[in-house]
Amino acid sequence: MINSTEITDDLSIPMPITQESLQIAEAFAQQQPHPQQYEQVYLNTLAVCAVNNYLRILDIPTNLNAGDSWNPAMRLFFDVADLDVTGIGRLECRPLRSPDSLTDTPVCMIPPEVHEDRIGYVIVHIDTQNQQAKLLGFTDSVDSEELPLSQLRSLKDLLTHLQHLQEAQTVPEPIQLSQWLDNVFAVGWEKLEALLELPQDPAFSFRTHSEPSTNGVKCGKRMEFQKDSDSVALCIGLKPTHSPQMGISVEVYPTGCQVYLPQELQVILLDEDGKAVIQTETRTTEHIRWRFKADPGDQFSIKLALGDVNMTEAFVV
């Protein structure tokens, strides 16, 4: 939990660039085919590592491997420097390299591909000669490719911003999946055939009678984003096995007349500690399906994120 009482004005200190960060940046940069991309990836990686180390010092959990900046294919085609803040969203960590002074570079360039799906932008001045990275400040949104440094807010404001986002995305009380086997359903969840027309999956027979089920049950909920065309159906299946474990299915489908799921929809499976276990981002995707087994009492959450809208549903087996 981010504690606002621990936020002080003197937190904007230079962060040392560690040897580990330098090694990672060099390894990522060496994978690039052109010198310009080499420097871009090198600086992006150092900026991400600096912000990651800064947040870790403050006990704010991050998932360094979950961002596009840690994906070789994304680094090859896009100018990305994102850091996943666990359970909150992705911060863009933009590097600024000035050979003389910061006054020589009054703006930081923000590439168009990172103007969306970010909870904020941290600007990091990279001084490779002295192996220091100074976090200059942040902004919660951008509307152009040039961000004047004069518009940056303090790191105190960054931590307050993260705290507010964390509070807004608090996981709700978990839904008791075992109750579904007794025809007791949570508000907003309904039989799948009532939500959308899908071929029946033989592994999960639908409930069509009032007797307790031994075959399993699958229910869905319509998840509404900002536009009706971006709504999706989140479907959860529960099937008893010969052991105490339950078979769990997680599926996401487009609704209405849509053939594909919304582009860049993120679907994330979180464990009971809020750590991402599985994460998928849609491109031209018709549906998503995961299957796993869980013991009675196990908890998990499904987070759906599209743009700046996040929704989370929590479950207990």
Side-chain angles (χ1 to χ4, degrees):
M1 174 67 71
I2 300 169
N3 189 342
S4 61
T5 62
E6 298 175 353
I7 300 173
T8 60
D9 287 322
D10 59 354
L11 291 179
S12 55
I13 59 175
M15 296 294 298
I17 298 176
T18 66
Q19 285 300 315
E20 181 183 11
S21 298
L22 290 169
Q23 291 171 2
I24 295 172
E26 180 66 24
F28 287 177
Q30 288 287 357
Q31 299 169 358
Q32 308 310 306
H34 303 295
Q36 183 178 358
Q37 287 178 291
Y38 176 100
E39 183 177 30
Q40 169 191 298
V41 169
Y42 187 80
L43 295 177
N44 285 353
T45 306
L46 291 180
V48 172
C49 288
V51 176
N52 180 68
N53 292 338
Y54 177 78
L55 295 181
R56 288 287 185 172
I57 289 173
L58 299 176
D59 291 326
I60 299 174
T62 60
N63 188 355
L64 191 60
N65 299 326
D68 289 340
S69 61
W70 244 245
N71 183 319
M74 296 299 290
R75 289 196 302 268
L76 185 62
F77 294 104
F78 300 101
D79 183 1
V80 289
D82 59 326
L83 172 66
D84 183 77
V85 183
T86 304
I88 300 178
R90 290 192 285 176
L91 276 174
E92 185 69 19
C93 313
R94 299 310 309 179
L96 187 67
R97 187 174 189 176
S98 174
D100 299 315
S101 67
L102 291 176
T103 56
D104 297 331
T105 312
V107 300
C108 182
M109 302 304 296
I110 310 294
E113 55 260 46
V114 301
H115 284 193
E116 297 181 355
D117 192 27
R118 297 294 188 267
I119 59 173
Y121 301 79
V122 181
I123 309 305
V124 185
H125 180 236
I126 303 294
D127 182 354
T128 53
Q129 182 176 358
N130 295 309
Q131 293 190 12
Q132 281 193 338
K134 185 173 183 180
L135 280 61
L136 301 180
F138 106 105
T139 182
D140 57 0
S141 63
V142 295
D143 54 16
S144 70
E145 295 185 40
E146 291 189 353
L147 174 64
L149 299 185
S150 60
Q151 294 182 6
L152 291 178
R153 296 160 60 186
S154 71
L155 294 181
K156 176 181 177 180
D157 288 338
L158 166 64
L159 301 183
T160 302
H161 176 64
L162 294 179
Q163 180 187 33
H164 290 163
L165 290 175
Q166 185 183 56
E167 292 171 350
Q169 297 178 20
T170 300
V171 176
E173 283 295 315
I175 295 168
Q176 301 283 338
L177 289 179
S178 60
Q179 294 181 353
W180 289 8
L181 298 174
D182 297 319
N183 278 324
V184 179
F185 303 106
V187 175
W189 291 84
E190 55 187 324
K191 302 286 184 58
L192 204 56
E193 59 266 39
L195 186 66
L196 73 168
E197 295 182 2
L198 288 173
Q200 183 166 332
D201 185 341
F204 289 88
S205 61
F206 292 128
R207 303 291 302 280
T208 58
H209 52 79
S210 60
E211 295 297 322
S213 172
T214 58
N215 295 325
V217 59
K218 185 185 292 185
C219 289
K221 181 178 182 180
R222 187 182 178 96
M223 310 294 285
E224 301 279 358
F225 291 96
Q226 291 177 331
K227 298 185 296 182
D228 184 65
S229 62
D230 287 338
S231 67
V232 300
L234 172 63
C235 308
I236 304 295
L238 179 71
K239 181 179 175 59
T241 68
H242 295 297
S243 70
Q245 289 186 318
M246 290 283 185
I248 307 295
S249 72
V250 176
E251 300 169 70
V252 183
Y253 292 92
T255 58
C257 300
Q258 302 300 315
V259 177
Y260 300 106
L261 291 168
Q263 290 255 346
E264 298 183 351
L265 169 69
Q266 293 186 64
V267 183
I268 307 168
L269 171 65
L270 306 170
D271 64 17
E272 61 182 8
D273 296 322
K275 182 179 179 181
V277 179
I278 306 175
Q279 182 168 340
T280 299
E281 182 171 320
T282 60
R283 295 292 186 256
T284 304
T285 309
E286 293 185 0
H287 71 277
I288 291 170
R289 175 182 292 178
W290 299 330
R291 287 186 178 177
F292 56 92
K293 291 184 178 180
D295 292 312
D298 283 351
Q299 296 187 40
F300 67 93
S301 301
I302 303 297
K303 179 179 177 180
L304 302 176
L306 184 64
D308 58 358
V309 180
N310 298 276
M311 293 178 284
T312 301
E313 294 286 337
F315 306 91
V316 59
V317 179

